[in-house]
Amino acid sequence: MATLTKERRPQTRRSGSGRDRGVRRAKRAAIGRQIKHNWQLYVMLILPVAYMIVFHYWPMYGVQIAFRNFNPIDGISASPWVGLQHFERFINAYQFWPLIENTVFLHVYELVVRFPLPIILALALNHVRVRWFRASVQMITYAPHFISTVVVVGILFLLLDPRTGLLNNLMSLVGIEGVNFMGDPGMFRHVYVWSSAWQSMGFSAIIYLAALSSVPQELHEAAVVDGATKLQRMWHIDLPSIMPIAVILLILDIGSILSVGFEKVLLMQTPLNMGTAEVIDTYVYKVGIASQVPQISYAAAIGLFRAVIGLVLLVIANQIARRLAKTSLW
Amino acid sequence: MTTVTAVKEPKQDKAFNVVNYFVLTIFLLVVLYPLVFIISASISSPIAVSSGEVWLWPVDITFNGYQAVIEYRTIVSGFLNSLFYAGVGTIINVTLTLLAAYPLARRDLYGRNVLMFFFAFTMLFGGGLIPTYLVVKDLGLLDTRWALILPTAMGVWNMIITRTFYQVTIPNELHEAARLDGCDDFNFFWRVVVPLSKPIIAVNALLYAVGHWNQFFNALIYLTDQTLFPLQLVLREIVIQNRIDPGAMVDASELARRQELRDLLKYCLIVIALIPPLIAYPFVQKHFVKGIMIGSLKG
């Protein structure tokens, strides 16, 4: 059903401008009546809105400490302004380039690995007709999504242990020398990315499967009549039909390029792999919260720096997608 | 698919099927194997595990590890704490989500677009780690159980999925009919909408409960009191940081005598943390796929 306001608006616009004020008053009265009529809906919204204000908008107000020298006694609004001092300090810090490199490299690598796998899984599943097989593959591949990061990293530490881990035991059986996966900066990225793929591919495939299920059956039937093989149908019917969703997910991923799965990185860090394992978010955590002398403002500035670049990337990715794929977030 | 099969399959399709099933089997095994191994290792003798004799099925079955887990005080309290956070947190989460989703699904809500933007905006922008930490600190929530419940009291993503669910499943006529019968919005919500929401409540409850169960980072930054620690934080200390406190063991001498039990304890602890979400999700799975699909496609 069309809404009350939407039905009325065109009528009021059509009426003469001489009666403008009266019309506006009538409209305002109509809105007032509508709000009064639905007051209970607004009451329901009070708690959720209060939550959003306190835990989402209040922190946004607190972002200004990135431009101040925060001290707990004065609080957020009374601490002195220092402008861009903290940002300059970060850009000139010797950790700056390694941090950027680690963060960007890790995420781009993850994107390249994680993006195609769910698509392959979904396309393959879509052509399975044996019900129980399809159901069990689906159920088992998305189970890891429900496993906590701590458990996944715990499993990694146990399986990859240089002394007692399964992988090194298997490798020594075939005569390959053991590798200390979790203590090797060269291995960190591979372990991180492939374990993330292990954890997420089944779940990410759900959305693609949903898209595939809405492909009209007639398309496939027509293709079969024309003698198309399954592979051709997959390529010419299934793949194009999930492209719009794939593009949107890709844009979102690029937008979060600097905020790689931060908890997991933090958990996987060991003193030995820090060379590649320190990313912007873990650095913010260490400088701002975990340190003996927390540098709150400096850490907030680094966090803001990351967020702004992430947003710029999101906008750029969206523009490119709109040009090339005719799909975009907004 | 029945109509498609009626036409005779080309030869290449047979090859395609073989490859297809092969690929899927690989996916299946890759995901399943580590889990099976962890469970097997947790009930095998520690010596067999470290010497590489266990690779699929358990060898020399023993339940010593689980016994050690039960006797480890921090683990037990962590488990109970996690149950508390998941239980209370999920109730709050689901309540707030429904309260926000239903009004926003109503087309006659004035200011609906503005309100939607108010919620969705936070998906793109946020204060970030430090300002959020300061808010929690200013509210005096540090080192209280609320610190793990209130800051994540509602997920906007879940709310949007729920709202879409309402738009699709609750026809406006239903509301109009109830209105004519003298039913106000509160009554309609409580007596009609909530009972019709079972699938979406199941989906939300599962997602939120798993989220709470798996959460560790908020506990890491907001809590210092060991008695409040959720299981994941305990897990991190024992499995990842290798910090096993003999004092927390009821029978410490027993453990000290057998160093290997350390590793066994880790495997068992992982299995214990794994079990609740894995048990929960097959039950809501049928709702789950449906709910997610409705929410994500039309949203």
Side-chain angles (χ1 to χ4, degrees):
Chain A
M1 192 204 82
T3 64
L4 284 174
T5 41
K6 267 183 192 153
E7 267 173 4
R8 267 178 204 176
R9 228 174 257 147
Q11 287 170 2
T12 50
R13 282 213 190 110
R14 242 176 274 132
S15 58
S17 55
R19 285 179 294 164
D20 231 17
R21 203 194 288 164
V23 168
R24 226 180 289 142
R25 197 182 298 147
K27 203 172 136 196
R28 212 179 298 141
I31 292 167
R33 228 178 297 128
Q34 206 183 350
I35 291 177
K36 213 169 161 191
H37 192 63
N38 288 331
W39 65 272
Q40 292 181 327
L41 295 181
Y42 295 96
V43 173
M44 286 185 205
L45 279 167
I46 288 177
L47 275 178
V49 167
Y51 160 73
M52 295 304 287
I53 290 174
V54 172
F55 289 104
H56 291 272
Y57 284 92
W58 189 2
M60 287 185 207
Y61 166 79
V63 165
Q64 55 174 290
I65 59 167
F67 306 95
R68 294 173 182 269
N69 252 341
F70 178 77
N71 63 67
I73 302 147
D74 292 337
I76 290 175
S77 45
S79 299
W81 287 100
V82 292
L84 295 174
Q85 186 192 309
H86 299 297
F87 294 90
E88 280 163 18
R89 192 180 141 205
F90 176 56
I91 290 170
N92 294 322
Y94 73 92
Q95 300 102 322
F96 180 73
W97 285 111
L99 277 177
I100 298 280
E101 191 200 316
N102 288 346
T103 313
V104 171
F105 191 97
L106 196 62
H107 194 77
V108 171
Y109 184 13
E110 195 186 8
L111 203 67
V112 170
V113 171
R114 254 171 63 163
F115 181 65
L117 281 176
I119 298 182
I120 297 172
L121 181 61
L123 287 175
L125 267 176
N126 196 42
H127 281 276
V128 171
R129 274 188 229 120
V130 186
R131 267 247 169 121
W132 65 266
F133 185 73
R134 189 189 156 113
S136 40
V137 172
Q138 230 183 311
M139 195 164 142
I140 287 167
T141 50
Y142 74 61
H145 175 78
F146 295 94
I147 299 174
S148 79
T149 319
V150 185
V151 168
V152 171
V153 178
I155 293 177
L156 287 176
F157 269 92
L158 285 175
L159 293 185
L160 304 179
D161 188 281
R163 197 172 42 84
T164 60
L166 175 78
L167 199 59
N168 276 303
N169 276 332
L170 290 180
M171 280 160 61
S172 67
L173 279 183
V174 271
I176 307 171
E177 213 167 297
V179 179
N180 183 6
F181 290 96
M182 303 306 282
D184 181 351
M187 288 311 276
F188 171 81
R189 287 164 178 167
H190 305 298
V191 176
Y192 175 87
V193 166
W194 289 96
S195 61
S196 298
W198 176 82
Q199 197 177 6
S200 69
M201 65 184 176
F203 192 78
S204 314
I206 290 184
I207 290 183
Y208 294 120
L209 278 173
L212 285 172
S213 70
S214 63
V215 174
Q217 198 56 49
E218 293 78 32
L219 276 180
H220 279 285
E221 282 162 19
V224 169
V225 170
D226 288 346
T229 63
K230 279 191 173 181
L231 194 64
Q232 285 170 325
R233 273 151 54 202
M234 189 187 263
W235 186 256
H236 294 290
I237 302 175
D238 292 340
L239 199 60
S241 67
I242 55 177
M243 275 325 278
I245 287 179
V247 169
I248 286 184
L249 293 181
L250 192 65
I251 301 171
L252 283 175
D253 249 6
I254 292 172
S256 59
I257 201 156
L258 296 185
S259 58
V260 272
F262 149 61
E263 299 191 348
K264 195 171 165 200
V265 178
L266 189 68
L267 286 165
M268 281 179 65
Q269 285 179 346
T270 63
L272 294 173
N273 66 18
M274 226 44 128
T276 51
E278 189 80 293
V279 297
I280 296 179
D281 278 324
T282 55
Y283 186 68
V284 169
Y285 164 69
K286 279 169 198 164
V287 171
I289 292 175
S291 140
Q292 290 291 327
V293 194
Q295 298 166 275
I296 300 265
S297 281
Y298 182 50
I302 303 172
L304 185 59
F305 177 85
R306 183 190 66 70
V308 168
I309 294 196
L311 198 70
V312 170
L313 287 173
L314 181 71
V315 173
I316 293 174
N318 194 50
Q319 289 301 327
I320 294 175
R322 193 186 297 182
R323 287 265 170 78
L324 296 183
K326 309 262 182 278
T327 317
S328 62
L329 273 184
W330 60 83
Chain B
M1 280 285 181
T2 44
T3 42
V4 179
T5 42
V7 181
K8 207 181 157 218
E9 288 193 338
K11 263 204 188 110
Q12 291 106 309
D13 280 6
K14 288 202 180 108
F16 173 89
N17 280 340
V18 173
V19 174
N20 201 27
Y21 279 96
F22 180 73
V23 168
L24 285 171
T25 311
I26 299 269
F27 270 112
L28 188 76
L29 291 179
V30 164
V31 172
L32 201 55
Y33 180 69
L35 300 177
V36 173
F37 172 77
I38 292 285
I39 295 170
S40 292
S42 77
I43 53 173
S44 295
S45 97
I47 301 157
V49 175
S50 55
S51 65
E53 281 171 54
V54 180
W55 63 275
L56 184 64
W57 300 119
V59 176
D60 297 336
I61 293 180
T62 165
F63 292 95
N64 287 351
Y66 287 98
Q67 202 184 335
V69 163
I70 296 167
E71 287 169 359
Y72 202 106
R73 246 178 285 129
T74 348
I75 297 177
V76 176
S77 85
F79 193 89
L80 296 177
N81 282 336
S82 280
L83 281 181
F84 174 84
Y85 296 131
V88 176
T90 304
I91 292 171
I92 293 177
N93 288 146
V94 172
T95 311
L96 283 192
T97 306
L98 297 189
L99 282 178
Y102 175 66
L104 290 172
R106 279 273 294 273
R107 289 184 194 147
D108 55 342
L109 181 83
Y110 180 76
R112 177 167 164 263
N113 290 334
V114 177
L115 280 164
M116 252 335 268
F117 181 77
F118 170 82
F119 284 97
F121 182 70
T122 60
M123 293 168 84
L124 280 181
F125 286 94
L129 177 65
I130 305 290
T132 310
Y133 175 84
L134 287 179
V135 166
V136 173
K137 194 178 166 202
D138 286 349
L139 290 171
L141 297 178
L142 287 189
D143 250 329
T144 66
R145 288 183 189 276
W146 294 113
L148 295 200
I149 292 175
L150 292 184
T152 53
M154 193 187 84
V156 174
W157 178 248
N158 300 55
M159 191 278 283
I160 292 177
I161 288 182
T162 312
R163 183 188 80 124
T164 314
F165 174 87
Y166 284 148
Q167 285 174 340
V168 175
T169 56
I170 313 248
N172 222 341
E173 290 75 23
L174 197 62
H175 172 245
E176 278 162 11
R179 256 260 144 95
L180 285 178
D181 289 340
C183 184
D184 62 7
D185 284 326
F186 287 155
N187 269 317
F188 183 71
F189 179 71
W190 185 243
R191 296 207 188 145
V192 180
V193 175
V194 172
L196 286 175
S197 313
K198 269 182 209 142
I200 202 72
I201 289 181
V203 171
N204 273 314
L206 175 75
L207 289 178
Y208 283 126
V210 170
H212 281 290
W213 185 266
N214 289 344
Q215 161 134 301
F216 99 99
F217 187 68
N218 280 358
L220 177 69
I221 58 177
Y222 298 140
L223 300 181
T224 50
D225 182 353
Q226 278 239 343
T227 59
L228 299 179
F229 280 5
L231 186 63
Q232 304 294 336
L233 209 53
V234 178
L235 199 73
R236 169 178 176 263
E237 294 201 329
I238 294 177
V239 179
I240 296 170
Q241 301 187 321
N242 220 347
R243 243 189 262 149
I244 295 180
D245 170 20
M249 217 78 70
V250 178
D251 196 356
S253 58
E254 166 80 0
L255 194 89
R257 241 188 299 131
R258 285 188 288 166
Q259 177 65 24
E260 320 87 63
L261 211 55
R262 275 174 96 96
D263 281 329
L264 192 56
L265 180 77
K266 295 182 188 172
Y267 284 106
C268 296
L269 189 50
I270 284 187
V271 173
I272 291 207
L274 262 177
I275 283 172
L278 289 191
I279 286 181
Y281 102 95
F283 287 107
V284 273
Q285 200 207 356
K286 60 172 186 209
H287 293 314
F288 186 70
V289 174
K290 214 199 286 168
I292 293 266
M293 282 180 181
I294 290 177
S296 56
L297 276 187
K298 307 268 170 69

